[in-house]
Amino acid sequence: MERHIDQELEELNKEISRMGVLAEEAIYKSIEALKNRDKDMAKSVIDNDVNIDKLELAVDEKCIDLIARFQPMARDLRFITIGMKINTELERIADIAVDIAQRTLEIVDKPLLKPLIDIPKLAVVAQNMIKMSIDSFVKEDISLAKKVLLSDCEADQLRNVIQEELIEGYMVKDGTTAPRAVQLLLIARFLERICDHTTNIAEDVIYMVQAEVVRHHPEKL
C-alpha cells in the first residue's frame, strides 16, 4: 500500500532533479559565454542565479516540513536529509557558474590569450559529473555514484594541465599575459571545484542507499 509520504518524496525528488538541471545549464552557459565572448549570456547566468536561490530555499523548506509532519525514520529520513545536502551542493555549483561568468566579463573585451581547448573539456567533464550524480540520486544507483567518484581524477588531471600551460607557457615567459591568464586559471579551478561538489553528492547517495560512509574511505569503493 502506498504511503502518503511516498508521493511527497517523489515530488522532492523531482524538485532536486530540477535544481540539478538548472545548475548544469548554468555551467554550460557560463562556458559558452567564455568560448563565444558573449557578454549577454554571461550576464544571464548572473541574473538567473536568484531563481536558483529561490528554488534552493523552497526545497529546504519542503524537507523541513516533511520531517516535521511525518517524523520519518531510517531510509526515508536518510533520503530527506541527503536531499537537503544535495540541494546545498547544487546551489553552490550554480554560484560557481556565476563566478565563471564574472571572470568571463573581466576578459571578454581583451584579446584571446590562447585557443580554448582544455577548459571546455574540463567543463564537459564537470557537466557529465553533475548529471551522473543527480541521476544516481534519482535512481538510487550506486554504480552511477561510483562513476562520479572515479571521474574526479580526470578532472584533476585536466586542471593540472591547464594550470601548467598557463603558468609555464605564458605567465613565466611573458608577465604581461598574467591578468588574462589568472582569469583562466580561476575558471579552471572553479570547474574543478564543481567536480568536487559532485563527488560530495555521489558519496551522499552511497550513504543514502546503503548506509555506508565512503567519504575519506576510498578503499570502500
Side-chain angles (χ1 to χ4, degrees):
M1 188 173 86
E2 185 179 18
R3 304 168 302 161
H4 180 57
I5 192 175
D6 291 333
Q7 182 179 346
E8 304 241 20
L9 293 177
E10 181 62 27
E11 290 174 5
L12 176 61
N13 202 330
K14 289 178 181 177
E15 289 180 5
I16 292 173
S17 297
R18 186 177 167 220
M19 272 289 288
V21 169
L22 291 176
E24 186 183 348
E25 184 179 83
I27 296 302
Y28 171 78
K29 285 184 175 179
S30 67
I31 296 299
E32 285 297 298
L34 175 66
K35 287 161 54 179
N36 300 321
R37 309 173 74 73
D38 188 331
K39 287 184 182 180
D40 290 338
M41 184 173 285
K43 290 176 181 176
S44 74
V45 172
I46 297 168
D47 292 341
N48 191 56
D49 191 55
V50 66
N51 296 322
I52 297 175
D53 289 344
K54 287 178 181 177
L55 180 57
E56 184 220 5
L57 292 175
V59 170
D60 269 359
E61 287 176 4
K62 184 173 185 64
C63 290
I64 293 169
D65 177 67
L66 287 173
I67 292 172
R69 285 193 292 122
F70 294 100
Q71 300 181 3
M73 299 177 66
R75 191 181 181 92
D76 289 340
L77 181 59
R78 289 203 304 273
F79 180 87
I80 295 169
T81 54
I82 293 303
M84 291 179 74
K85 292 179 69 177
I86 291 174
N87 186 45
T88 299
E89 298 286 358
L90 291 171
E91 191 275 333
R92 289 174 179 167
I93 288 172
D95 283 346
I96 293 173
V98 170
D99 291 333
I100 294 172
Q102 290 171 335
R103 301 286 74 75
T104 295
L105 291 174
E106 290 287 333
I107 58 176
V108 72
D109 290 325
K110 299 172 184 177
L112 191 63
L113 182 63
K114 62 179 289 295
L116 294 174
I117 299 172
D118 290 322
I119 284 179
K121 283 183 184 178
L122 180 52
V124 169
V125 172
Q127 288 170 245
N128 287 339
M129 289 176 72
I130 294 171
K131 187 176 187 309
M132 281 195 297
S133 65
I134 296 305
D135 283 349
S136 73
F137 172 74
V138 171
K139 300 173 183 177
E140 300 188 6
D141 188 330
I142 294 294
S143 64
L144 268 179
K146 289 181 177 179
K147 283 182 181 179
V148 173
L149 299 179
L150 295 173
S151 296
D152 195 46
C153 289
E154 182 183 0
D156 289 342
Q157 289 170 358
L158 274 170
R159 190 275 318 271
N160 291 340
V161 167
I162 294 165
Q163 183 172 287
E164 182 177 355
E165 181 183 18
L166 289 170
I167 293 174
E168 301 297 331
Y170 290 88
M171 295 173 69
V172 170
K173 293 180 180 178
D174 182 359
T176 64
T177 65
R180 286 172 291 162
V182 165
Q183 301 301 331
L184 295 176
L185 282 169
L186 286 171
I187 289 171
R189 175 58 183 145
F190 291 148
L191 289 169
E192 191 267 335
R193 278 176 54 198
I194 288 168
C195 297
D196 288 343
H197 284 299
T198 66
T199 61
N200 291 342
I201 293 172
E203 289 166 347
D204 286 337
V205 168
I206 292 172
Y207 174 72
M208 178 185 77
V209 175
Q210 57 189 37
E212 182 177 16
V213 177
V214 297
R215 187 167 295 179
H216 312 307
H217 296 283
E219 73 279 0
K220 291 186 179 182
L221 296 175

